[in-house]
Amino acid sequence: MRCLRMLVRILVLLYLAGAPALAQTLCQPNASNGYRVRISIKTALGNQAYEWNENEMFLFRATMAFAMRRYYKTETYNVDNIIVCNQTRRVSFWFVVISPENPTMLIPKADVEKAVSMSRHRINNAFLLTDRTLEFLGIYPTLAEPVNPDTPPWLIVFGVVIGAVFAGIIALLVSSLLQKRRKEKGMMEDGQDEEDRQMKGVENGINLDGIYNRGFTDDDRFTKL
Amino acid sequence: MGKDAARAEWDNPMQFVLACVSYAVGLGNVWRFPYLCQMHGGGGFLIPYLLMLVLLGVPLFYMELAIGQKMRLGSIGAWRAINPYLGGVGLASVVTSMYLCLYYNVINAWSFWYLFHSFQSVLPWAECPVNSNLTGHVEECERATPTQYFFYRETLDISGSIEENGGIHMGQALCLLLAWMIVYLFIVKGVKSTGKVVYFTATFPYLVLIIYLIRGVTLHGAINGVKYMFTPKMEQLANPTTWINAATQIFFSLGLGFGSLIAFASYNQYNNNFEKQAIVVSMVNSSTSIFASIVTFSIYGFKATFNYESCLERVRLLLLNTFDLAEDTISLENVIHWIAELNRTHPEQFASLGGRLETCDLEAELDTAVEGTGLAFIVYSEAIKNMPVSQLWSVLYFIMLLLLGMGSMLGNVIAVITPLSDLKFISRYMSTKTLNGLVCLFCLLLGLGFTTHSGNYWFTMFNDYGATFSLLFIVLIEVITVCYIYGIKRFEKDVEDMLGHRLNCYWKIMLAGVSPILLIALFIFYIVNYIQGGTPTYQAWNKELGKSVVTEYPPYAQAFIGLLLASSVCCIPLTALYTYCKKRNLASGKRERTVSTVSA
């Protein structure tokens, strides 16, 4: 019995020792089920950029575990299930996700992609980055749905302007019509005076400012007997 | 002159000057002159330009104002009064102005479209729209740029060639309707309403230009553009095209030959001092061109620097990603240095970059000279979208374009309406308001043809052929008529009658000698150029490639070009022939009557 227990303990120890090594072989650059991540902190944050260190890496693995939990709607995923390798100075690395039940099995690429797409916004925000500065090479960000208002905004401005112009035209036409009517009414009341004044005329562009002598008016119509 | 007893007049000479300024200072000052400056050696271009202004521009401008003020009639009546056989000159002017009216307001329609689209949180030409399954951007936009896509696809919805007509673009048609309604509003009461409007249309663009100048020169990289413009390349002066382009620019910029100046001047007081005004308006027009080109070049410089730095940024990212270097090793300043360094240290990996590595060249960016609608609507809007608070700058810019365009439109429409309203059989049956309304409606309906899918190609045809060659011919006949057929002596006496002093030597020499010679030279050059050019071509937008390709006009379009040219030019000989026949009939009729009375 004791021998059996010791054998199991040795096997467990070997397994625990070997697991990381096994895990490391699972994560490789250009792995079939792995994704490459590229992070550009300085581009995104400029002066307020933080240093990329082991703690940040831990946060990344935790966020990825969170994404897997959210996608599968289970609580079995943990930080250990996310394996990272081949980190460069650029700050880029490869990661794979291993299944919590079976540590030798990798979660397929398509599922990882769906999980990442689902929680992309949360992952970005955890690092104060954007789709462009936290890149998952191979996973394209879904672009925001274009906002389609019921009436295009340009039509509203157009409506206002054309309404104002139309009102202006009507106002001008009506005012000149009223002016003409007033002048006609005024002419009928004044009668002869208007006609005489209009005969003053313009010669060579210079107004004749003399007074018209009514003695020479053609007023036969009044003296006809 | 009894019929002129009630002729409308400008309220004061200032209105006349502002109307001329508003007409002459138009879109050409903003989008053609900077292009010519760039093509023909920057600051050095000013020499032929100012020389042509003095030799050609000012004397011809003076002559047109003198004719209008003396005859107090629109172009048809004025030329008929000068010489009955050459009344066709006025008719040709009206026909050319009519063509201009048809297509010029379409530019205003585009300005309205862009203006209304500026009232959005993100300018629609700033980014590519997303495609239907939200995976990426629309393909055509990816291949071209967002500003080109917005102009060619969303504004014009342009077809692949002039043959594919398509339907009318409703948004464009609405904007054209608005543009014509505004033109009608400005001219409905004749010069009484126009005179008030020009206070605004002549002065406000300057305000916007000054604001833009201040904004422009403070932009990052603007100094590159201004330096590029003003560095003179004197060797361009040896190129005859430089001189010809300078002459053509002065000629078209002042709006000679359309009859607008004659129409404006016909509403003047008889003794108005148009000599001073002619000089003032010509100077203002040219200085505005130079001023506008400073603004344009500072914006060019900004755009070129922006594109250059974006290019450097892309190269920097490419290098960082390929060689996995830490982010802060390469900065924008030492990208070039690093390219050489990495090529030396990692040659195979560097070679694998291949075509993805772009060469970023500031000079090449500045060299992309654009003119016309491409400059105004594509290049400028690209620069504006990168400015902070871009909506404000966009609104200001398109309002300025609108004012410049509307000011010129006023001149064009008045050039058509004045001679028509002078004709007795029209003024008897309808009032000015009705006539104005009918002309605007007619132009609107025909102008809808330019809002179809192939409308832009027809627009370009009208722009290139409708008013260029015919104008040269018209003004040449005008100058020869005034100086040699009417006689420079009679002209001198008329001017003395109006102004009170005689024509001095400058005017006499220019009008009778230098200007006709220059015009004949220009005319010959145009004909030679046209013949040598082979089949006329146009730029068709190819949506697969995302750029314009040079295409030949189909035969019916070429025939139409011929018709455009012939229709205005033929007015002159045909009217001369008609007048000759009428005079002969009248003379033979009189002879018959005298014979009969003698015999009786």
Side-chain angles (χ1 to χ4, degrees):
Chain A
M1 217 49 208
R2 211 180 293 162
C3 279
L4 201 61
R5 235 180 284 156
M6 215 139 101
L7 192 62
V8 169
R9 233 177 271 151
I10 292 171
L11 279 174
V12 167
L13 273 170
L14 271 174
Y15 175 72
L16 281 175
L22 183 67
Q24 278 310 103
T25 51
L26 285 172
C27 171
Q28 272 175 18
N30 300 317
S32 55
N33 280 325
Y35 275 105
R36 186 166 181 205
V37 176
R38 194 188 287 145
I39 299 186
S40 318
I41 309 174
K42 293 205 177 55
T43 316
L45 301 171
N47 285 338
Q48 296 161 341
Y50 50 80
E51 190 67 39
W52 185 264
N53 50 27
E54 276 309 309
N55 297 334
E56 305 289 341
M57 186 56 90
F58 181 80
L59 178 60
F60 177 79
R61 292 165 71 202
T63 324
M64 284 310 302
F66 162 76
M68 298 308 295
R69 283 194 182 194
R70 221 167 144 232
Y71 178 62
Y72 281 118
K73 298 192 192 13
T74 155
E75 290 172 16
T76 51
Y77 280 88
N78 235 316
V79 182
D80 303 322
N81 299 123
I82 316 291
I83 317 223
V84 168
C85 57
N86 216 36
Q87 194 172 345
T88 65
R89 279 181 306 156
R90 170 71 178 84
V91 192
S92 72
F93 47 84
W94 284 84
F95 77 94
V96 291
V97 183
I98 54 178
S99 160
E101 291 91 35
N102 183 354
T104 51
M105 197 179 82
L106 291 178
I107 303 291
K109 208 165 174 163
D111 291 335
V112 176
E113 174 171 351
K114 290 201 197 93
V116 168
S117 300
M118 195 164 118
S119 309
R120 189 65 186 263
H121 188 62
R122 301 291 298 270
I123 302 172
N124 286 348
N125 277 350
F127 292 95
L128 308 173
L129 298 174
T130 65
D131 282 345
R132 249 180 10 101
T133 41
L134 171 56
E135 299 169 77
F136 287 84
L137 299 184
I139 303 181
Y140 296 108
T142 37
L143 300 162
E145 175 104 20
V147 181
N148 272 332
D150 294 322
T151 8
W154 78 268
L155 212 49
I156 300 173
V157 187
F158 170 79
V160 169
V161 175
I162 204 170
V165 171
F166 191 65
I169 292 179
I170 299 287
L172 274 181
L173 288 176
V174 165
S175 78
S176 63
L177 203 69
L178 286 176
Q179 230 177 15
K180 207 166 53 167
R181 272 218 199 114
R182 227 177 289 138
K183 218 199 277 183
E184 273 173 12
K185 230 196 282 179
M187 256 179 78
M188 283 199 291
E189 286 170 7
D190 289 344
Q192 277 295 80
D193 295 46
E194 286 292 328
E195 279 187 345
D196 291 340
R197 232 172 282 133
Q198 274 180 11
M199 279 158 74
K200 211 158 41 164
V202 175
E203 242 179 55
N204 283 338
I206 307 165
N207 273 326
L208 289 175
D209 276 321
I211 305 169
Y212 194 82
N213 191 339
R214 298 240 197 102
F216 297 96
T217 318
D218 184 17
D219 53 359
D220 273 345
R221 68 199 86 167
F222 294 101
T223 53
K224 250 198 184 82
L225 295 162
Chain B
M1 301 263 237
K3 61 180 178 288
D4 294 336
R7 190 175 186 82
E9 275 184 2
W10 301 106
D11 285 337
N12 53 53
M14 185 51 118
Q15 281 187 0
F16 168 66
V17 172
L18 287 179
C20 288
V21 166
S22 177
Y23 169 65
V25 173
L27 295 168
N29 299 65
V30 169
W31 75 31
R32 175 109 177 122
F33 182 79
Y35 167 76
L36 287 177
C37 237
Q38 192 174 7
M39 292 303 293
H40 296 295
F45 183 70
L46 289 177
I47 298 175
Y49 183 73
L50 291 173
L51 204 60
M52 287 299 170
L53 175 69
V54 167
L55 294 179
L56 194 65
V58 180
L60 291 174
F61 197 83
Y62 176 91
M63 182 189 79
E64 291 220 356
L65 291 188
I67 292 168
Q69 195 167 304
K70 169 77 189 166
M71 300 302 166
R72 310 204 58 171
L73 290 170
S75 48
I76 298 182
W79 289 104
R80 220 185 319 172
I82 288 183
N83 186 320
Y85 289 104
L86 288 169
V89 173
L91 192 60
S93 292
V94 171
V95 169
T96 317
S97 284
M98 176 62 92
Y99 290 152
L100 194 68
C101 280
L102 285 178
Y103 79 79
Y104 201 83
N105 227 5
V106 176
I107 305 174
N108 290 334
W110 295 338
S111 301
F112 272 120
W113 173 269
Y114 270 81
L115 177 66
F116 296 148
H117 277 85
S118 307
F119 290 97
Q120 290 176 14
S121 52
V122 176
L123 291 177
W125 56 86
E127 344 174 290
C128 278
V130 195
N131 64 15
S132 41
N133 41 5
L134 298 182
T135 50
H137 299 292
V138 174
E139 269 181 39
E140 190 180 349
C141 191
E142 290 279 318
R143 287 187 218 111
T145 61
T147 40
Q148 280 179 320
Y149 177 79
F150 184 77
F151 183 63
Y152 287 113
R153 187 53 50 215
E154 300 203 17
T155 310
L156 301 174
D157 201 3
I158 207 166
S159 64
S161 74
I162 200 171
E163 287 131 355
E164 303 158 27
N165 277 328
I168 292 182
H169 186 296
M170 277 321 291
Q172 283 303 304
L174 287 175
C175 289
L176 187 65
L177 171 68
L178 175 64
W180 275 111
M181 278 175 70
I182 291 186
V183 170
Y184 182 63
L185 177 70
F186 288 166
I187 60 165
V188 67
K189 277 184 151 180
V191 280
K192 287 295 170 207
S193 53
T194 313
K196 308 247 177 5
V197 165
V198 292
Y199 280 115
F200 187 64
T201 58
T203 52
F204 196 72
Y206 286 99
L207 182 65
V208 179
L209 271 176
I210 291 175
I211 296 176
Y212 250 96
L213 181 70
I214 299 174
R215 169 75 275 204
V217 296
T218 53
L219 284 172
H220 169 64
I223 199 72
N224 294 334
V226 179
K227 227 185 333 177
Y228 183 81
M229 169 188 160
F230 279 114
T231 344
K233 301 185 193 63
M234 286 303 190
E235 59 273 10
Q236 280 287 336
L237 287 182
N239 181 3
T241 319
T242 309
W243 296 86
I244 287 164
N245 279 341
T248 322
Q249 174 62 15
I250 285 285
F251 189 81
F252 291 126
S253 180
L254 286 173
L256 304 165
F258 285 105
S260 312
L261 297 169
I262 297 180
F264 280 151
S266 71
Y267 297 113
N268 271 341
Q269 298 267 353
Y270 189 71
N271 297 100
N272 178 46
N273 185 1
F274 63 90
E275 178 172 355
K276 203 171 51 154
Q277 292 166 342
I279 298 175
V280 164
V281 174
S282 316
M283 294 300 169
V284 167
N285 182 47
S286 297
S287 4
T288 311
S289 289
I290 298 173
F291 183 49
S293 52
I294 299 178
V295 177
T296 304
F297 273 92
S298 51
I299 298 206
Y300 260 160
F302 165 70
K303 181 183 101 68
T305 311
F306 186 86
N307 286 349
Y308 173 68
E309 288 181 354
S310 306
C311 176
L312 283 180
E313 176 70 25
R314 285 194 299 273
V315 169
R316 170 181 164 265
L317 265 177
L318 182 65
L319 290 177
L320 284 179
N321 292 347
T322 320
F323 293 94
D324 280 323
L325 305 163
E327 268 186 285
D328 43 5
T329 40
I330 309 183
S331 70
L332 281 183
E333 287 83 41
N334 48 23
V335 171
I336 318 284
H337 159 76
W338 269 99
I339 291 178
E341 179 77 25
L342 288 168
N343 197 4
R344 199 172 47 86
T345 48
H346 304 83
E348 338 74 42
Q349 218 175 348
F350 195 85
S352 74
L353 281 175
R356 284 183 298 155
L357 188 68
E358 309 170 52
T359 34
C360 302
D361 187 359
L362 185 61
E363 277 286 317
E365 291 281 341
L366 285 169
D367 263 338
T368 51
V370 190
E371 62 159 336
T373 51
L375 170 61
F377 293 104
I378 299 180
V379 171
Y380 255 95
S381 37
E382 194 176 315
I384 288 173
K385 78 171 196 235
N386 295 325
M387 293 184 196
V389 200
S390 45
Q391 289 86 354
L392 169 69
W393 299 109
S394 179
V395 167
L396 262 182
Y397 172 67
F398 288 110
I399 286 182
M400 179 187 78
L401 277 193
L402 270 172
L403 286 173
L404 291 174
M406 278 298 170
S408 302
M409 255 329 268
L410 288 180
N412 297 334
V413 173
I414 288 182
V416 173
I417 286 179
T418 307
L420 285 181
S421 61
D422 288 335
L423 293 175
K424 279 202 220 32
F425 64 83
I426 289 186
S427 58
R428 215 183 316 160
Y429 292 122
M430 49 176 112
S431 67
T432 28
K433 295 192 197 54
T434 325
L435 175 67
N436 295 353
L438 283 178
V439 170
C440 289
L441 186 65
F442 178 71
C443 290
L444 168 67
L445 291 176
L446 285 186
L448 284 178
F450 294 109
T451 59
T452 58
H453 292 294
S454 58
N456 191 43
Y457 301 130
W458 291 100
F459 169 86
T460 315
M461 182 200 286
F462 268 74
N463 194 22
D464 289 340
Y465 299 103
T468 46
F469 179 79
S470 4
L471 272 186
L472 274 176
F473 186 67
I474 290 171
V475 177
L476 181 61
I477 302 284
E478 281 186 7
V479 158
I480 293 178
T481 307
V482 168
C483 294
Y484 299 106
I485 300 179
Y486 185 69
I488 193 89
K489 291 255 182 293
R490 267 171 84 184
F491 182 68
E492 231 181 316
K493 229 172 9 142
D494 288 334
V495 168
E496 195 182 350
D497 198 27
M498 286 192 281
L499 289 183
H501 61 259
R502 311 199 68 194
L503 273 183
N504 66 32
C505 293
Y506 164 73
W507 301 112
K508 276 193 275 199
I509 297 174
M510 293 305 153
L511 280 176
V514 180
S515 304
I517 293 174
L518 278 175
L519 281 174
I520 291 175
L522 268 184
F523 192 68
I524 292 175
F525 165 77
Y526 255 88
I527 296 180
V528 166
N529 210 22
Y530 186 72
I531 296 173
Q532 273 185 346
T535 332
T537 57
Y538 66 103
Q539 302 267 13
W541 176 256
N542 184 324
K543 62 196 273 196
E544 277 89 44
L545 294 175
K547 51 189 244 235
S548 301
V549 288
V550 176
T551 325
E552 276 187 6
Y553 277 115
Y556 70 85
Q558 292 181 36
F560 193 79
I561 293 176
L563 189 67
L564 271 181
L565 292 172
S567 55
S568 44
V569 166
C570 281
C571 290
I572 302 177
L574 285 178
T575 319
L577 197 64
Y578 170 74
T579 319
Y580 176 69
C581 290
K582 207 165 69 162
K583 284 227 153 110
R584 217 170 48 159
N585 282 342
L586 234 100
S588 63
K590 263 203 215 120
R591 244 180 288 126
E592 280 177 18
R593 253 183 278 125
T594 44
V595 166
S596 54
T597 40
V598 164
S599 61

